[in-house]
Amino acid sequence: MNSQSTASVEALKARRPRPLSPHLQVYSWLITNTLSILHRLTGVAISVGLLYLSAWLVIAAYYPEYYEDFTNFAGSPVGIFILGGWSLAFNYHFLNGIRHLFWDLGKGFELKNVTKSGIAVVIGTLILTAAEWAFGLGYINI
Amino acid sequence: MKSNSIKTPLKRVEGLGSAHHGVHHWIMLRSTAVALIPLSVWFVVNLIILSKSDFAQLLQFFKSPVNALLMALLVVFSFYHAALGLREVVEDYVHRKFKKSVTILFINLALLALGTLTVMAIAKMHFFS
């Protein structure tokens, strides 16, 4: 290999990646693709939240002397924020997951049904999360 | 008579595809999802109740075999569902074979280890407190 081609191999490795056609700045955010990426994002968020669930149970079982510290953290503003965000993500993923399962059965692919079920999932998520927190914080009692 | 597939005859007969597991992942993702529908409802209801309880009541909760079992099943199914879901995300965004394999391996092992530890914690509270 002569010095010219090794120089261009070096140049090849050093230069910036090849250009990509614009995507995020071009395609519109419709209900279809927005809810789809949200399903993925909430899924990842919930997976991280599994660590929180594990921490709670492992501390309760193996480190009971620290359980009070854990509940104090969970009740603190940071803890409430984490739990609130997690419950929002979880409810959305749960409801949209059911929407996905109907699609897997082959039902509901017509565009107007996709839009309607999408709106129902978003509204359902907000109502469900609000209801859970209302019960949890004691604003509603059964 | 060969079909127009570009797969070799052996690959066609195995029918496993690029994930090397065929449609198994897709089925398991949906099966765990279906199992998680009632389990999650149970979990959220009890989480709200437990958030208002103290430590003694928490231990009492896990004394019940039904509660211990359902919580353990929730952990097993959600960790499995998460492993499959995260695998799909990795497969979509990580492209080099080695990086992809290592990431998926790490996620699977981490979730398996953490899931086992969590089930151990539930078992401990159920049997030994």
Side-chain angles (χ1 to χ4, degrees):
Chain A
M1 214 185 271
N2 59 29
S3 62
Q4 174 131 43
S5 68
T6 39
S8 56
V9 166
E10 304 291 299
L12 227 81
K13 287 181 185 159
R15 79 174 182 205
R16 58 175 198 267
R18 289 192 159 273
L20 211 55
S21 31
H23 46 91
L24 286 179
Q25 15 346 3
V26 179
Y27 294 112
S28 353
W29 287 103
L30 306 173
I31 193 169
T32 42
N33 59 350
T34 311
L35 296 197
S36 175
I37 192 64
L38 213 49
H39 193 74
R40 174 162 280 194
L41 287 176
T42 51
V44 175
I46 296 164
S47 303
V48 174
L50 289 176
L51 286 135
Y52 199 28
L53 173 68
S54 296
W56 172 47
L57 294 175
V58 170
I59 289 177
Y62 290 111
Y63 301 102
E65 63 273 16
Y66 291 110
Y67 190 72
E68 205 188 325
D69 293 327
F70 180 85
T71 41
N72 286 339
F73 173 77
S76 72
V78 178
I80 297 278
F81 180 73
I82 293 175
L83 209 54
W86 186 88
S87 63
L88 202 59
F90 179 80
N91 288 330
Y92 174 81
H93 194 85
F94 179 82
L95 292 176
N96 204 25
I98 294 177
R99 182 167 170 247
H100 260 92
L101 287 173
F102 274 104
W103 289 338
D104 290 331
L105 290 171
K107 299 180 189 300
F109 275 111
E110 308 80 22
L111 189 57
K112 65 172 168 50
N113 286 333
V114 166
T115 318
K116 269 197 240 177
S117 61
I119 295 174
V121 161
V122 173
I123 295 179
T125 303
L126 297 170
I127 295 179
L128 193 55
T129 314
E132 285 165 4
W133 279 93
F135 277 113
L137 295 171
Y139 292 113
I140 306 179
N141 286 304
I142 319 173
Chain B
M1 185 97 61
K2 264 199 181 172
S3 77
N4 289 328
S5 170
I6 56 169
K7 288 183 174 176
T8 60
L10 179 61
K11 285 298 176 191
R12 266 191 299 120
V13 136
E14 283 178 351
L16 291 180
S18 64
H20 311 295
H21 275 94
V23 80
H24 182 74
H25 287 169
W26 191 92
I27 291 175
M28 289 318 292
L29 199 61
R30 271 75 185 164
S31 317
T32 49
V34 168
L36 280 169
I37 294 176
L39 275 172
S40 308
V41 171
W42 174 87
F43 175 67
V44 168
V45 167
N46 282 287
L47 194 63
I48 295 176
I49 295 172
L50 285 171
S51 71
K52 307 184 200 227
S53 318
D54 59 30
F55 188 59
Q57 288 166 315
L58 182 72
L59 294 180
Q60 200 54 38
F61 175 83
F62 281 112
K63 279 257 176 285
S64 148
V66 174
N67 289 337
L69 175 66
L70 290 179
M71 190 64 85
L73 288 179
L74 174 87
V75 167
V76 169
F77 282 123
S78 16
F79 276 62
Y80 191 9
H81 187 87
L84 289 172
L86 289 174
R87 174 192 250 272
E88 281 193 359
V89 177
V90 168
E91 283 175 353
D92 281 350
Y93 299 133
V94 179
H95 300 297
R96 301 276 172 81
K97 175 94 190 195
F98 180 72
K99 236 199 273 187
K100 188 190 307 214
S101 308
V102 165
T103 314
I104 291 175
L105 182 68
F106 174 75
I107 291 174
N108 285 345
L109 292 179
L111 286 175
L112 187 61
L114 197 59
T116 309
L117 180 62
T118 315
V119 172
M120 278 169 59
I122 296 169
K124 177 169 189 290
M125 288 192 276
H126 175 63
F127 289 115
F128 299 121
S129 61

mmCIF file of all heavy atoms in Angstrom, chain B residues 30-70:
data_model
loop_
_atom_site.group_PDB
_atom_site.id
_atom_site.type_symbol
_atom_site.label_atom_id
_atom_site.label_comp_id
_atom_site.label_asym_id
_atom_site.label_seq_id
_atom_site.Cartn_x
_atom_site.Cartn_y
_atom_site.Cartn_z
ATOM 1 N N ARG B 30 -46.157 -10.564 23.662
ATOM 2 C CA ARG B 30 -47.618 -10.439 23.774
ATOM 3 C C ARG B 30 -48.169 -11.270 24.933
ATOM 4 O O ARG B 30 -49.084 -10.844 25.636
ATOM 5 C CB ARG B 30 -48.296 -10.875 22.470
ATOM 6 C CG ARG B 30 -48.461 -9.746 21.488
ATOM 7 C CD ARG B 30 -47.171 -9.401 20.834
ATOM 8 N NE ARG B 30 -47.267 -8.245 19.964
ATOM 9 C CZ ARG B 30 -46.231 -7.559 19.520
ATOM 10 N NH1 ARG B 30 -45.012 -7.914 19.875
ATOM 11 N NH2 ARG B 30 -46.397 -6.533 18.704
ATOM 12 N N SER B 31 -47.618 -12.494 25.132
ATOM 13 C CA SER B 31 -48.118 -13.327 26.240
ATOM 14 C C SER B 31 -47.866 -12.656 27.575
ATOM 15 O O SER B 31 -48.753 -12.606 28.437
ATOM 16 C CB SER B 31 -47.445 -14.698 26.267
ATOM 17 O OG SER B 31 -47.339 -15.220 24.987
ATOM 18 N N THR B 32 -46.629 -12.142 27.764
ATOM 19 C CA THR B 32 -46.340 -11.483 29.036
ATOM 20 C C THR B 32 -47.202 -10.236 29.194
ATOM 21 O O THR B 32 -47.647 -9.920 30.297
ATOM 22 C CB THR B 32 -44.849 -11.107 29.148
ATOM 23 O OG1 THR B 32 -44.435 -10.435 27.966
ATOM 24 C CG2 THR B 32 -43.983 -12.330 29.363
ATOM 25 N N ALA B 33 -47.462 -9.544 28.075
ATOM 26 C CA ALA B 33 -48.316 -8.359 28.141
ATOM 27 C C ALA B 33 -49.708 -8.726 28.634
ATOM 28 O O ALA B 33 -50.271 -8.068 29.513
ATOM 29 C CB ALA B 33 -48.405 -7.693 26.772
ATOM 30 N N VAL B 34 -50.271 -9.792 28.079
ATOM 31 C CA VAL B 34 -51.611 -10.219 28.489
ATOM 32 C C VAL B 34 -51.619 -10.604 29.963
ATOM 33 O O VAL B 34 -52.514 -10.215 30.720
ATOM 34 C CB VAL B 34 -52.093 -11.395 27.602
ATOM 35 C CG1 VAL B 34 -53.325 -12.033 28.194
ATOM 36 C CG2 VAL B 34 -52.381 -10.905 26.208
ATOM 37 N N ALA B 35 -50.599 -11.355 30.412
ATOM 38 C CA ALA B 35 -50.526 -11.738 31.828
ATOM 39 C C ALA B 35 -50.380 -10.505 32.705
ATOM 40 O O ALA B 35 -50.910 -10.450 33.824
ATOM 41 C CB ALA B 35 -49.342 -12.681 32.056
ATOM 42 N N LEU B 36 -49.686 -9.492 32.210
ATOM 43 C CA LEU B 36 -49.436 -8.297 33.023
ATOM 44 C C LEU B 36 -50.653 -7.409 33.164
ATOM 45 O O LEU B 36 -50.678 -6.544 34.043
ATOM 46 C CB LEU B 36 -48.270 -7.501 32.434
ATOM 47 C CG LEU B 36 -46.898 -8.058 32.787
ATOM 48 C CD1 LEU B 36 -45.822 -7.379 31.956
ATOM 49 C CD2 LEU B 36 -46.609 -7.858 34.270
ATOM 50 N N ILE B 37 -51.676 -7.596 32.314
ATOM 51 C CA ILE B 37 -52.854 -6.724 32.448
ATOM 52 C C ILE B 37 -53.517 -6.910 33.813
ATOM 53 O O ILE B 37 -53.578 -5.955 34.606
ATOM 54 C CB ILE B 37 -53.861 -6.933 31.291
ATOM 55 C CG1 ILE B 37 -53.233 -6.487 29.971
ATOM 56 C CG2 ILE B 37 -55.143 -6.152 31.543
ATOM 57 C CD1 ILE B 37 -54.125 -6.744 28.766
ATOM 58 N N PRO B 38 -53.970 -8.119 34.180
ATOM 59 C CA PRO B 38 -54.563 -8.249 35.526
ATOM 60 C C PRO B 38 -53.543 -8.065 36.650
ATOM 61 O O PRO B 38 -53.862 -7.467 37.681
ATOM 62 C CB PRO B 38 -55.137 -9.669 35.527
ATOM 63 C CG PRO B 38 -54.433 -10.391 34.450
ATOM 64 C CD PRO B 38 -54.037 -9.399 33.434
ATOM 65 N N LEU B 39 -52.296 -8.551 36.432
ATOM 66 C CA LEU B 39 -51.283 -8.429 37.479
ATOM 67 C C LEU B 39 -50.988 -6.966 37.801
ATOM 68 O O LEU B 39 -50.814 -6.602 38.970
ATOM 69 C CB LEU B 39 -49.985 -9.122 37.038
ATOM 70 C CG LEU B 39 -49.892 -10.626 37.292
ATOM 71 C CD1 LEU B 39 -48.647 -11.185 36.634
ATOM 72 C CD2 LEU B 39 -49.896 -10.928 38.766
ATOM 73 N N SER B 40 -50.943 -6.122 36.780
ATOM 74 C CA SER B 40 -50.650 -4.709 37.017
ATOM 75 C C SER B 40 -51.781 -4.033 37.754
ATOM 76 O O SER B 40 -51.551 -3.186 38.619
ATOM 77 C CB SER B 40 -50.418 -3.971 35.700
ATOM 78 O OG SER B 40 -49.472 -4.633 34.923
ATOM 79 N N VAL B 41 -53.027 -4.376 37.386
ATOM 80 C CA VAL B 41 -54.174 -3.792 38.077
ATOM 81 C C VAL B 41 -54.086 -4.138 39.559
ATOM 82 O O VAL B 41 -54.191 -3.265 40.435
ATOM 83 C CB VAL B 41 -55.502 -4.293 37.465
ATOM 84 C CG1 VAL B 41 -56.672 -3.872 38.323
ATOM 85 C CG2 VAL B 41 -55.656 -3.775 36.049
ATOM 86 N N TRP B 42 -53.832 -5.425 39.849
ATOM 87 C CA TRP B 42 -53.678 -5.859 41.235
ATOM 88 C C TRP B 42 -52.557 -5.098 41.916
ATOM 89 O O TRP B 42 -52.681 -4.633 43.054
ATOM 90 C CB TRP B 42 -53.390 -7.365 41.268
ATOM 91 C CG TRP B 42 -53.083 -7.899 42.617
ATOM 92 C CD1 TRP B 42 -53.966 -8.348 43.559
ATOM 93 C CD2 TRP B 42 -51.791 -8.047 43.199
ATOM 94 N NE1 TRP B 42 -53.309 -8.767 44.686
ATOM 95 C CE2 TRP B 42 -51.966 -8.584 44.492
ATOM 96 C CE3 TRP B 42 -50.489 -7.773 42.758
ATOM 97 C CZ2 TRP B 42 -50.891 -8.854 45.342
ATOM 98 C CZ3 TRP B 42 -49.415 -8.041 43.608
ATOM 99 C CH2 TRP B 42 -49.635 -8.581 44.887
ATOM 100 N N PHE B 43 -51.431 -4.931 41.180
ATOM 101 C CA PHE B 43 -50.261 -4.272 41.749
ATOM 102 C C PHE B 43 -50.549 -2.819 42.108
ATOM 103 O O PHE B 43 -50.242 -2.366 43.214
ATOM 104 C CB PHE B 43 -49.104 -4.330 40.746
ATOM 105 C CG PHE B 43 -47.876 -3.584 41.178
ATOM 106 C CD1 PHE B 43 -47.137 -4.019 42.266
ATOM 107 C CD2 PHE B 43 -47.476 -2.438 40.505
ATOM 108 C CE1 PHE B 43 -46.000 -3.325 42.659
ATOM 109 C CE2 PHE B 43 -46.345 -1.749 40.906
ATOM 110 C CZ PHE B 43 -45.613 -2.187 41.978
ATOM 111 N N VAL B 44 -51.166 -2.088 41.193
ATOM 112 C CA VAL B 44 -51.418 -0.668 41.434
ATOM 113 C C VAL B 44 -52.368 -0.485 42.614
ATOM 114 O O VAL B 44 -52.128 0.348 43.502
ATOM 115 C CB VAL B 44 -51.977 0.016 40.165
ATOM 116 C CG1 VAL B 44 -52.502 1.385 40.490
ATOM 117 C CG2 VAL B 44 -50.896 0.087 39.112
ATOM 118 N N VAL B 45 -53.437 -1.300 42.652
ATOM 119 C CA VAL B 45 -54.384 -1.202 43.769
ATOM 120 C C VAL B 45 -53.659 -1.425 45.090
ATOM 121 O O VAL B 45 -53.796 -0.652 46.043
ATOM 122 C CB VAL B 45 -55.530 -2.226 43.583
ATOM 123 C CG1 VAL B 45 -56.335 -2.361 44.858
ATOM 124 C CG2 VAL B 45 -56.425 -1.816 42.437
ATOM 125 N N ASN B 46 -52.854 -2.498 45.152
ATOM 126 C CA ASN B 46 -52.167 -2.815 46.403
ATOM 127 C C ASN B 46 -51.045 -1.846 46.727
ATOM 128 O O ASN B 46 -50.752 -1.593 47.887
ATOM 129 C CB ASN B 46 -51.647 -4.251 46.370
ATOM 130 C CG ASN B 46 -52.751 -5.235 46.631
ATOM 131 O OD1 ASN B 46 -53.214 -5.373 47.757
ATOM 132 N ND2 ASN B 46 -53.234 -5.864 45.586
ATOM 133 N N LEU B 47 -50.419 -1.295 45.695
ATOM 134 C CA LEU B 47 -49.374 -0.301 45.940
ATOM 135 C C LEU B 47 -49.968 0.916 46.636
ATOM 136 O O LEU B 47 -49.383 1.458 47.583
ATOM 137 C CB LEU B 47 -48.745 0.115 44.606
ATOM 138 C CG LEU B 47 -47.430 0.892 44.691
ATOM 139 C CD1 LEU B 47 -46.367 0.040 45.327
ATOM 140 C CD2 LEU B 47 -47.001 1.344 43.305
ATOM 141 N N ILE B 48 -51.162 1.336 46.181
ATOM 142 C CA ILE B 48 -51.817 2.481 46.809
ATOM 143 C C ILE B 48 -52.133 2.162 48.266
ATOM 144 O O ILE B 48 -51.882 2.976 49.165
ATOM 145 C CB ILE B 48 -53.090 2.873 46.040
ATOM 146 C CG1 ILE B 48 -52.710 3.355 44.636
ATOM 147 C CG2 ILE B 48 -53.867 3.944 46.775
ATOM 148 C CD1 ILE B 48 -53.894 3.677 43.756
ATOM 149 N N ILE B 49 -52.649 0.940 48.505
ATOM 150 C CA ILE B 49 -52.963 0.553 49.885
ATOM 151 C C ILE B 49 -51.687 0.506 50.732
ATOM 152 O O ILE B 49 -51.629 1.003 51.852
ATOM 153 C CB ILE B 49 -53.677 -0.818 49.918
ATOM 154 C CG1 ILE B 49 -55.030 -0.718 49.220
ATOM 155 C CG2 ILE B 49 -53.847 -1.322 51.340
ATOM 156 C CD1 ILE B 49 -55.718 -2.046 49.026
ATOM 157 N N LEU B 50 -50.629 -0.106 50.181
ATOM 158 C CA LEU B 50 -49.395 -0.271 50.938
ATOM 159 C C LEU B 50 -48.700 1.061 51.200
ATOM 160 O O LEU B 50 -47.959 1.205 52.176
ATOM 161 C CB LEU B 50 -48.436 -1.213 50.213
ATOM 162 C CG LEU B 50 -48.794 -2.690 50.279
ATOM 163 C CD1 LEU B 50 -47.901 -3.493 49.354
ATOM 164 C CD2 LEU B 50 -48.675 -3.204 51.703
ATOM 165 N N SER B 51 -48.942 2.045 50.314
ATOM 166 C CA SER B 51 -48.298 3.342 50.516
ATOM 167 C C SER B 51 -48.820 4.014 51.778
ATOM 168 O O SER B 51 -48.181 4.901 52.332
ATOM 169 C CB SER B 51 -48.513 4.247 49.307
ATOM 170 O OG SER B 51 -49.861 4.657 49.256
ATOM 171 N N LYS B 52 -49.998 3.573 52.218
ATOM 172 C CA LYS B 52 -50.558 4.150 53.437
ATOM 173 C C LYS B 52 -50.303 3.267 54.657
ATOM 174 O O LYS B 52 -50.735 3.581 55.760
ATOM 175 C CB LYS B 52 -52.067 4.316 53.289
ATOM 176 C CG LYS B 52 -52.465 5.077 52.053
ATOM 177 C CD LYS B 52 -53.955 5.280 52.018
ATOM 178 C CE LYS B 52 -54.454 5.579 50.636
ATOM 179 N NZ LYS B 52 -55.354 6.718 50.638
ATOM 180 N N SER B 53 -49.605 2.148 54.459
ATOM 181 C CA SER B 53 -49.386 1.217 55.565
ATOM 182 C C SER B 53 -47.976 1.383 56.116
ATOM 183 O O SER B 53 -47.103 1.949 55.475
ATOM 184 C CB SER B 53 -49.558 -0.221 55.080
ATOM 185 O OG SER B 53 -50.651 -0.331 54.232
ATOM 186 N N ASP B 54 -47.775 0.829 57.319
ATOM 187 C CA ASP B 54 -46.435 0.892 57.901
ATOM 188 C C ASP B 54 -45.689 -0.404 57.629
ATOM 189 O O ASP B 54 -46.186 -1.292 56.940
ATOM 190 C CB ASP B 54 -46.516 1.199 59.399
ATOM 191 C CG ASP B 54 -47.321 0.146 60.159
ATOM 192 O OD1 ASP B 54 -47.336 -1.028 59.735
ATOM 193 O OD2 ASP B 54 -47.942 0.498 61.179
ATOM 194 N N PHE B 55 -44.485 -0.507 58.209
ATOM 195 C CA PHE B 55 -43.611 -1.631 57.907
ATOM 196 C C PHE B 55 -44.220 -2.952 58.366
ATOM 197 O O PHE B 55 -44.157 -3.961 57.666
ATOM 198 C CB PHE B 55 -42.250 -1.406 58.571
ATOM 199 C CG PHE B 55 -41.223 -2.415 58.163
ATOM 200 C CD1 PHE B 55 -40.879 -2.563 56.841
ATOM 201 C CD2 PHE B 55 -40.607 -3.230 59.109
ATOM 202 C CE1 PHE B 55 -39.930 -3.498 56.447
ATOM 203 C CE2 PHE B 55 -39.663 -4.160 58.730
ATOM 204 C CZ PHE B 55 -39.322 -4.299 57.401
ATOM 205 N N ALA B 56 -44.823 -2.953 59.555
ATOM 206 C CA ALA B 56 -45.419 -4.182 60.077
ATOM 207 C C ALA B 56 -46.527 -4.681 59.150
ATOM 208 O O ALA B 56 -46.662 -5.885 58.894
ATOM 209 C CB ALA B 56 -45.964 -3.940 61.474
ATOM 210 N N GLN B 57 -47.319 -3.716 58.639
ATOM 211 C CA GLN B 57 -48.395 -4.105 57.737
ATOM 212 C C GLN B 57 -47.852 -4.630 56.413
ATOM 213 O O GLN B 57 -48.464 -5.496 55.775
ATOM 214 C CB GLN B 57 -49.342 -2.908 57.495
ATOM 215 C CG GLN B 57 -50.195 -2.593 58.703
ATOM 216 C CD GLN B 57 -50.863 -1.234 58.587
ATOM 217 O OE1 GLN B 57 -50.239 -0.247 58.216
ATOM 218 N NE2 GLN B 57 -52.141 -1.197 58.922
ATOM 219 N N LEU B 58 -46.678 -4.096 56.014
ATOM 220 C CA LEU B 58 -46.054 -4.580 54.778
ATOM 221 C C LEU B 58 -45.667 -6.048 54.941
ATOM 222 O O LEU B 58 -45.932 -6.883 54.068
ATOM 223 C CB LEU B 58 -44.812 -3.743 54.453
ATOM 224 C CG LEU B 58 -44.082 -4.114 53.158
ATOM 225 C CD1 LEU B 58 -44.901 -3.677 51.958
ATOM 226 C CD2 LEU B 58 -42.703 -3.483 53.103
ATOM 227 N N LEU B 59 -45.039 -6.374 56.090
ATOM 228 C CA LEU B 59 -44.654 -7.766 56.328
ATOM 229 C C LEU B 59 -45.886 -8.660 56.403
ATOM 230 O O LEU B 59 -45.883 -9.798 55.923
ATOM 231 C CB LEU B 59 -43.835 -7.867 57.621
ATOM 232 C CG LEU B 59 -42.472 -7.179 57.583
ATOM 233 C CD1 LEU B 59 -41.748 -7.343 58.905
ATOM 234 C CD2 LEU B 59 -41.625 -7.714 56.449
ATOM 235 N N GLN B 60 -46.945 -8.128 57.024
ATOM 236 C CA GLN B 60 -48.190 -8.888 57.124
ATOM 237 C C GLN B 60 -48.752 -9.173 55.724
ATOM 238 O O GLN B 60 -49.272 -10.252 55.455
ATOM 239 C CB GLN B 60 -49.198 -8.063 57.954
ATOM 240 C CG GLN B 60 -50.338 -8.853 58.564
ATOM 241 C CD GLN B 60 -49.832 -10.013 59.391
ATOM 242 O OE1 GLN B 60 -48.826 -9.910 60.082
ATOM 243 N NE2 GLN B 60 -50.513 -11.134 59.289
ATOM 244 N N PHE B 61 -48.644 -8.173 54.851
ATOM 245 C CA PHE B 61 -49.125 -8.304 53.482
ATOM 246 C C PHE B 61 -48.451 -9.483 52.787
ATOM 247 O O PHE B 61 -49.105 -10.293 52.117
ATOM 248 C CB PHE B 61 -48.841 -7.002 52.726
ATOM 249 C CG PHE B 61 -49.179 -7.038 51.264
ATOM 250 C CD1 PHE B 61 -50.479 -6.817 50.845
ATOM 251 C CD2 PHE B 61 -48.200 -7.274 50.308
ATOM 252 C CE1 PHE B 61 -50.806 -6.833 49.495
ATOM 253 C CE2 PHE B 61 -48.513 -7.292 48.956
ATOM 254 C CZ PHE B 61 -49.817 -7.074 48.539
ATOM 255 N N PHE B 62 -47.119 -9.610 52.987
ATOM 256 C CA PHE B 62 -46.400 -10.669 52.281
ATOM 257 C C PHE B 62 -46.528 -12.021 52.950
ATOM 258 O O PHE B 62 -46.129 -13.036 52.388
ATOM 259 C CB PHE B 62 -44.924 -10.291 52.117
ATOM 260 C CG PHE B 62 -44.702 -9.332 50.986
ATOM 261 C CD1 PHE B 62 -44.310 -8.035 51.215
ATOM 262 C CD2 PHE B 62 -44.933 -9.733 49.676
ATOM 263 C CE1 PHE B 62 -44.136 -7.140 50.171
ATOM 264 C CE2 PHE B 62 -44.759 -8.852 48.623
ATOM 265 C CZ PHE B 62 -44.360 -7.553 48.869
ATOM 266 N N LYS B 63 -47.097 -12.040 54.167
ATOM 267 C CA LYS B 63 -47.336 -13.330 54.813
ATOM 268 C C LYS B 63 -48.346 -14.142 54.025
ATOM 269 O O LYS B 63 -48.294 -15.365 53.997
ATOM 270 C CB LYS B 63 -47.866 -13.112 56.240
ATOM 271 C CG LYS B 63 -46.779 -12.811 57.231
ATOM 272 C CD LYS B 63 -46.472 -14.033 58.081
ATOM 273 C CE LYS B 63 -45.310 -13.778 59.017
ATOM 274 N NZ LYS B 63 -44.043 -13.779 58.318
ATOM 275 N N SER B 64 -49.284 -13.433 53.385
ATOM 276 C CA SER B 64 -50.315 -14.127 52.630
ATOM 277 C C SER B 64 -49.701 -14.752 51.381
ATOM 278 O O SER B 64 -49.017 -14.077 50.626
ATOM 279 C CB SER B 64 -51.422 -13.153 52.245
ATOM 280 O OG SER B 64 -51.998 -13.518 51.011
ATOM 281 N N PRO B 65 -49.908 -16.069 51.162
ATOM 282 C CA PRO B 65 -49.321 -16.728 49.984
ATOM 283 C C PRO B 65 -49.807 -16.124 48.668
ATOM 284 O O PRO B 65 -49.049 -16.040 47.705
ATOM 285 C CB PRO B 65 -49.773 -18.183 50.100
ATOM 286 C CG PRO B 65 -50.420 -18.337 51.406
ATOM 287 C CD PRO B 65 -50.642 -17.022 52.018
ATOM 288 N N VAL B 66 -51.071 -15.685 48.641
ATOM 289 C CA VAL B 66 -51.602 -15.092 47.408
ATOM 290 C C VAL B 66 -50.838 -13.820 47.069
ATOM 291 O O VAL B 66 -50.400 -13.628 45.929
ATOM 292 C CB VAL B 66 -53.109 -14.795 47.567
ATOM 293 C CG1 VAL B 66 -53.620 -14.053 46.357
ATOM 294 C CG2 VAL B 66 -53.890 -16.075 47.775
ATOM 295 N N ASN B 67 -50.657 -12.956 48.074
ATOM 296 C CA ASN B 67 -49.940 -11.700 47.820
ATOM 297 C C ASN B 67 -48.501 -11.947 47.401
ATOM 298 O O ASN B 67 -47.996 -11.317 46.474
ATOM 299 C CB ASN B 67 -49.954 -10.823 49.075
ATOM 300 C CG ASN B 67 -51.333 -10.268 49.353
ATOM 301 O OD1 ASN B 67 -52.150 -10.177 48.445
ATOM 302 N ND2 ASN B 67 -51.587 -9.903 50.593
ATOM 303 N N ALA B 68 -47.843 -12.875 48.126
ATOM 304 C CA ALA B 68 -46.442 -13.159 47.798
ATOM 305 C C ALA B 68 -46.335 -13.707 46.385
ATOM 306 O O ALA B 68 -45.466 -13.307 45.599
ATOM 307 C CB ALA B 68 -45.865 -14.142 48.806
ATOM 308 N N LEU B 69 -47.245 -14.630 46.050
ATOM 309 C CA LEU B 69 -47.207 -15.240 44.718
ATOM 310 C C LEU B 69 -47.448 -14.206 43.632
ATOM 311 O O LEU B 69 -46.711 -14.128 42.642
ATOM 312 C CB LEU B 69 -48.254 -16.356 44.614
ATOM 313 C CG LEU B 69 -48.376 -16.981 43.226
ATOM 314 C CD1 LEU B 69 -47.106 -17.720 42.852
ATOM 315 C CD2 LEU B 69 -49.581 -17.916 43.145
ATOM 316 N N LEU B 70 -48.499 -13.389 43.792
ATOM 317 C CA LEU B 70 -48.838 -12.420 42.750
ATOM 318 C C LEU B 70 -47.726 -11.395 42.579
ATOM 319 O O LEU B 70 -47.399 -10.996 41.454
ATOM 320 C CB LEU B 70 -50.173 -11.746 43.073
ATOM 321 C CG LEU B 70 -51.392 -12.662 42.936
ATOM 322 C CD1 LEU B 70 -52.672 -11.921 43.303
ATOM 323 C CD2 LEU B 70 -51.514 -13.196 41.521
#
